[in-house]
Amino acid sequence: MASDALPGCDDTPTVDWDATAGTGGTYTLQYATNESFTTDLVTESGLTTATFTVASALADDTYYWRVEAIDAASNASGYPVDPFEFTVDT
């Protein structure tokens, strides 16, 4: 569905994934500094494209991210078991 970002990416990384929500569907993206998504969790919902660029600079760290597709009938795919990751190292 998606892939890890390159190591050492800039502080406003872009992540992308396969467009699976269909016409009228949306995505919810979450990223955090731990794999259980309990530390520094950010949730971006209502995304209409299969790409997202972080708007505000992130601190140097490893971030974990996951995305959920929601179709036009509000059926959610659920988040993947294994999150993706990227590292900010500026």
Side-chain angles (χ1 to χ4, degrees):
M1 181 171 184
S3 62
D4 293 340
L6 295 175
C9 64
D10 68 34
D11 57 4
T12 55
T14 297
V15 295
D16 57 29
W17 55 90
D18 293 339
T20 59
T23 302
T26 62
Y27 302 94
T28 299
L29 169 77
Q30 292 185 324
Y31 60 92
T33 54
N34 67 345
E35 291 181 82
S36 58
F37 294 86
T38 57
T39 305
D40 299 322
L41 174 65
V42 176
T43 300
E44 300 285 349
S45 57
L47 304 174
T48 57
T49 61
T51 187
F52 179 79
T53 300
V54 176
S56 298
L58 298 174
D60 287 3
D61 207 338
T62 297
Y63 293 84
Y64 300 89
W65 67 278
R66 60 190 181 182
V67 66
E68 171 180 66
I70 303 160
D71 69 16
S74 298
N75 298 305
S77 65
Y79 292 105
V81 174
D82 297 317
F84 299 95
E85 68 180 77
F86 60 84
T87 301
V88 174
D89 183 12
T90 54

